[in-house]
Amino acid sequence: MNRPIVAMFISLACAVPMMGQADESATTLHVNSRAVLVDVIVSDSSGKPVTGLSKDAFSLTEQGKQQAISFFEENGKSTPARAVEMPRMPTDVFTNFSPFPVPPAVNVLLLDSLNTRMENQGYVHQQALQFLKSAKPGTRMAIFTMGLGLHFIQGFNDDPSVLLAALNNKKNNAVETSVMLKGKEETNAQDKLLGMMSTPEGNGATAASPEMIAALQGFIRENDTSRSIDRIHLTLENLQRLAAFLQGFPGRKNIIWFSEKVPALFVTGSDASGGVASGTAAIGDEIKKTLAMLAAARAAIYPVDARGTSVNAQYTSENNPVIISTAGESIREEDMDRDSDQLQAQILAEQSGGKAFANTNGLSNVIDKIASASSHFYTLSYAPANAKMDGTFRNIKVKVQGGEYKLSYRRGYFAVEDALPGSSLSVRSHEVQKLASHNPGAVDPLLPFMDLGMPQSQQILYKILVVRAAAAQNEP
């Protein structure tokens, strides 16, 4: 079963002989055609998937203009095939062949320590392990962690025991300090200091002058803003690397992103990129590139708030409300901050075709819900009338006739070259070739072909016979 890709570039070369010329020179005709692919999850009022819809039930517009659906496919409609019964392998012989059928969508578990405070990282890790312990074989998943860089833990695998062993590995159990995210202890210390400076001294005076208090508050805000911008840049770089990996695999991918503070990639209440009050145009460009690469990889984002149902910092044992005279204001600010984080996560999820989860301690159940909800969806493709790659955001709206349905799909795309499938891999391949030309022998010639994500591990099947060194040398 062949499926179209998110944005397709076709170049046709037609040789047309020129009349009256003896050198048989030719004219080359180049035709560019782009196709946009949209995965749509259709569910009823109870959240159950709606199956059996026809192409005629769907209508799609881009920027308010009706588009002709050129390709239609229902994914996951058939009864799931049973796993192939694997023959018993001889002693010391191993294979990477998967006995399970290819699922319509695969999952990526992304554990984010860059945007999650240390006190919540351990809980997220524990919940992920709990899910893998109860997961059924055949749930295809890959695992990454995000810190100052993107770390590959385990590639796509159908065996929960393999995923569990990888995540439970000693080197993957360490809690990484989020140096760019303010922790509760730092917040409490700053609030205590401001509280002491604001302590009344009589006659309307305070322990510190209003000018000193305002100066400290300004310094804290500037420092928080600077750290936030650096954190957003790193997050975007990590997501781009993840998108480059996922572009090498066909089908839909669900990125289950456990994070406390998902960066604001969209302006609240609009479909434009941004949301960062920094005045830095480079961030907007990187946001466009990141979202375009994720769309090209057919990736839907499912942010999960790593805080669960935790209480305000003012009510923790580390805090002393007697000293803090601004406790009420601190609680309001923390509530507003949490609401803002969850709103940004919700907007990102809806824009990408996913769903956000917050205020729940059953994080392991969330993973199971996501896998179940995305097991059935429809794939639509169309060639947009406006083929210009001008960097603007194109709104997509899908409607389904025949009932009151809830639809989950990406709400648009950025018209940039980064949306072309494989574009990031081709750029990397070019850089590898450039390095090899300047440093002969420094680059393995097979490196471009063994990049993460291509080919799938099951496409190169192997069997390995493991023999002890002593036996191989006929030693006793």
Side-chain angles (χ1 to χ4, degrees), residues 4-293:
I5 51 183
V6 177
M8 183 168 54
F9 180 85
I10 303 175
S11 178
L12 301 178
C14 302
V16 181
M18 297 293 291
M19 299 297 295
Q21 293 186 9
D23 59 357
E24 297 184 353
S25 61
T27 298
T28 302
L29 173 64
H30 293 279
V31 179
N32 296 337
S33 176
R34 302 188 186 277
V36 177
L37 185 148
V38 183
D39 292 325
V40 185
I41 297 177
V42 184
S43 55
D44 58 21
S45 56
S46 61
K48 296 181 180 179
V50 177
T51 62
L53 295 174
S54 65
K55 175 182 176 181
D56 296 336
F58 289 81
S59 62
L60 186 149
T61 61
E62 178 181 302
Q63 295 295 91
K65 297 181 179 180
Q66 194 70 34
Q67 304 292 322
I69 299 175
S70 58
F71 176 86
F72 175 84
E73 182 180 29
E74 184 175 0
N75 303 275
K77 63 178 180 179
S78 59
T79 303
R82 293 184 177 181
V84 178
E85 186 175 348
M86 291 287 293
R88 185 178 181 85
M89 304 297 293
T91 304
D92 296 330
V93 175
F94 305 90
T95 180
N96 70 333
F97 175 77
S98 174
F100 299 96
V102 178
V106 295
N107 302 305
V108 178
L109 193 61
L110 179 59
L111 307 181
D112 183 359
S113 60
L114 176 63
N115 300 288
T116 304
R117 294 179 176 88
M118 286 186 62
E119 53 263 29
N120 294 320
Q121 292 179 30
Y123 174 68
V124 169
H125 192 275
Q126 178 187 5
Q127 291 290 303
L129 292 175
Q130 182 177 333
F131 165 77
L132 294 175
K133 289 178 181 178
S134 60
K136 297 179 180 179
T139 303
R140 189 163 297 182
M141 178 177 289
I143 304 176
F144 288 81
T145 59
M146 180 194 297
L148 296 180
L150 184 70
H151 307 290
F152 180 89
I153 303 300
Q154 175 62 50
F156 286 110
N157 199 289
D158 299 300
D159 190 346
S161 63
V162 174
L163 297 165
L164 180 64
L167 187 58
N168 209 24
N169 189 292
K170 186 177 180 180
K171 66 179 181 180
N172 298 326
N173 274 328
V175 176
E176 185 175 346
T177 303
S178 181
V179 296
M180 296 186 179
L181 191 64
K182 185 189 297 185
K184 287 185 178 180
E185 292 185 359
E186 183 179 357
T187 300
N188 290 340
Q190 292 175 351
D191 288 342
K192 288 180 181 180
L193 178 58
L194 289 171
M196 290 187 291
M197 294 174 66
S198 303
T199 303
E201 293 279 326
N203 297 326
T206 55
S209 67
E211 292 76 14
M212 292 181 62
I213 297 175
L216 178 59
Q217 290 173 332
F219 170 78
I220 293 174
R221 284 193 298 269
E222 291 179 4
N223 186 55
D224 291 346
T225 299
S226 177
R227 291 162 68 176
S228 178
I229 293 175
D230 291 341
R231 180 169 52 83
I232 291 173
H233 272 297
L234 279 177
T235 301
L236 295 175
E237 290 178 7
N238 289 334
L239 290 177
Q240 290 173 16
R241 293 183 61 192
L242 179 59
F245 170 84
L246 296 178
Q247 283 185 21
F249 295 86
R252 175 188 174 96
K253 298 94 181 176
N254 304 320
I255 300 179
I256 307 174
W257 185 2
F258 284 94
S259 179
E260 183 177 334
K261 295 184 73 67
V262 173
L265 303 187
F266 285 92
V267 175
T268 303
S270 78
D271 295 324
S273 71
V276 180
S278 64
T280 305
I283 290 184
D285 293 338
E286 288 301 309
I287 288 174
K288 290 182 180 181
K289 179 180 178 180
T290 303
L291 295 175
M293 291 178 65

